[in-house]
Amino acid sequence: MYHFDREYNRRNTECVKWDAMGEDILPMWIADMDFEAPAPIYEAFVKRANHHVYAYSKLSNEYYQAVIDFMQRRHNFHVEKDWIVFTPGVVIALTLGVQAVTEPGEEVMILSPVYGPFRGATTACGRKLIESPLVNNDGYYTIDFDDMEKRITPNTKAFMLCSPHNPVGRVWTKEELTKIAQFCLKHNLYLIADEIHNDLVFKDHIVMNNISDELAEKTILCTAPSKTFNLAGLQASNIIIKNEELRNKFKTLLGNLHVGSANAFVDSVVIAAYTQCDQWLDELNEYIKGNLEYFAKEINSIAPLKMHVPEGTYLAWVDCRGLKMTDEELTAFFKEKCHLAFNGGTFFGPEGSGFVRANMACPRSYVEEAVKRIKAGVASL
């Protein structure tokens, strides 16, 4: 048994989540976890640090095999070594993916609300964004395939998917993923799939490449140990591109930026994570699920707030529209009245107006304290 209830002081460590906030603020915003790393990961860091030399490094065959075995074991997903492209994060992979499969002026379709950098990855390099809003069914979001058909144009060349979905917490079903694949194939679209939360799920997650062999040849699949094992600071992601021509184009763009090398700790730490931490991950998912269920129950008792229990991720998507506040007022309310830091909903697009995203990857005591502060804040209105 792992002790996820243990509070771990992260202040004064140059931690973005905690040190960017005042001492009176409980930070539940940026998507990292407040749990200690499992022992094999800590030990891998220490062992590598004890080498005393931290020069240029490469990834070993054992690293690639660990990724391959983990994907097969956890997701029934066959990966070959040549398909794996290392990048220092998924966001840069999204950006390079857009550049690899589109030209300036062409369009990329997304489902909104969605993780903010989807927009920047598209517009910053001169591409145009086509947004198809998800349908909000009392907190449970579904895809409007009719709307997607209405919005697509001959200039649309790629579809960017978040699976599991951040921030609404959906783990897309096989039927939904199959319809996405059919849509992409019908319109000859490339698919850029962000599956960074694929291990943090409470129902079966299906890797997009397992849906359609044909579409897999036009897919850039983004994975990473960062969310799974709280290793965002390691800067390590594994981008899986089956098609050799597409993969080489992506690698050329990555090479032009000279950011494709792993730091001295990546090899041993990721190997440890992917080969020795399955039990920790299983218990983590149970703990986070409990946090989310508890938070949802309490939030739904605080009129007029509403929340649907997510199917995946550790992120709660809270509907605050009943408070009748502007987004600026909502941010100020949670920060100044409740002394809480959440992500404002508009970070995820216009459809996020009136919502906040709260991070539940923390000890239950933090969640209980957040509920206490929200109840007091709403009661003061």
Side-chain angles (χ1 to χ4, degrees), residues 49-62:
N50 283 336
H51 185 264
H52 293 193
V53 178
Y54 317 112
Y56 296 116
S57 300
K58 67 181 184 65
L59 299 175
S60 65
N61 288 331
E62 187 181 0

Side-chain angles (χ1 to χ4, degrees), residues 67-92:
V67 175
I68 290 166
D69 292 345
F70 186 84
M71 292 297 173
Q72 184 67 54
R73 184 171 70 251
R74 303 290 301 196
H75 299 289
N76 192 33
F77 174 37
H78 172 74
V79 178
E80 296 183 11
K81 178 184 176 182
D82 289 347
W83 302 355
I84 303 170
V85 182
F86 177 87
T87 70
V90 162
V91 172
I92 192 171

